[in-house]
């Protein structure tokens, strides 16, 4: 897995957080991949659980993710992004740092998100 391919996958993830469906986001993951978001939360490891998780974001009235930076080494990408989401009467912003591990096919096998509740800001 090349650094370029991992960077492309990270960019696709950010784009799909802004514009994609939950299914399109989950398509970036390998079968049996795990998501721990945030670290310490129950681990999701089935396609159905991942779709349910990402449907929370994709079901909001508005959402926009912006990549701040990405570092890649070996099979791992670490990146920071800002996600602004909104409903009819409220908007929230969070800036997590995600750690993604990729398989040889460029699919995410593990994603862990570093953030805590106090990082979620109402706008």
């Amino acid at each position: 897995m090349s650094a370029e391919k991992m960077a492309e996958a990270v960019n696709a993830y950010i784009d799909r957080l802004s514009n994609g469906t939950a299914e399109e986001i989950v398509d970036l993951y390998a079968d049996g991949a795990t998501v721990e978001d945030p670290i310490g939360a129950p681990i999701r490891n089935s396609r159905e659980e991942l779709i349910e998780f990402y449907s929370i974001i994709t079901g909001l009235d508005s959402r926009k993710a912006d990549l701040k930076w990405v570092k890649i080494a070996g099979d791992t990408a670490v990146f920071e992004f800002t996600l602004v989401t909104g409903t009819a009467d409220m908007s929230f912003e969070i800036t997590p740092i995600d750690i993604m591990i990729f398989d040889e096919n460029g699919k995410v096998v593990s994603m862990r998100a570093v953030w805590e509740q106090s990082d979620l800001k109402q706008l």
Side-chain angles (χ1 to χ4, degrees):
M1 170 83 323
S2 72
E4 182 179 291
K5 293 279 189 196
M6 285 187 279
E8 288 174 10
V10 168
N11 283 308
Y13 179 74
I14 296 299
D15 180 62
R16 292 174 190 189
L17 283 176
S18 295
N19 305 304
T21 65
E23 291 82 1
E24 289 170 331
I25 296 169
V26 174
D27 286 344
L28 296 169
Y29 287 87
D31 289 339
T34 61
V35 169
E36 186 179 4
D37 189 347
I39 290 176
I43 295 173
R44 297 166 178 92
N45 62 5
S46 71
R47 182 169 175 84
E48 294 75 25
E49 288 176 317
L50 297 183
I51 289 171
E52 179 182 7
F53 173 71
Y54 285 110
S55 291
I56 296 167
I57 295 168
T58 61
L60 294 170
D61 294 339
S62 65
R63 57 200 159 102
K64 178 70 174 120
D66 290 301
L67 184 64
K68 295 175 150 298
W69 55 262
V70 60
K71 298 284 184 188
I72 296 171
D75 63 355
T76 303
V78 178
F79 56 97
E80 181 179 30
F81 66 100
T82 299
L83 177 64
V84 177
T85 59
T87 62
D89 55 350
M90 285 188 283
S91 292
F92 293 93
E93 178 184 87
I94 191 160
T95 304
I97 295 174
D98 283 6
I99 305 160
M100 286 184 169
I101 299 172
F102 293 85
D103 67 12
E104 63 280 352
N105 298 314
K107 296 286 191 175
V108 179
V109 295
S110 170
M111 190 281 276
R112 300 179 82 206
V114 182
W115 65 274
E116 60 184 5
Q117 195 61 42
S118 65
D119 295 327
L120 187 62
K121 296 175 175 51
Q122 186 173 352
L123 302 176

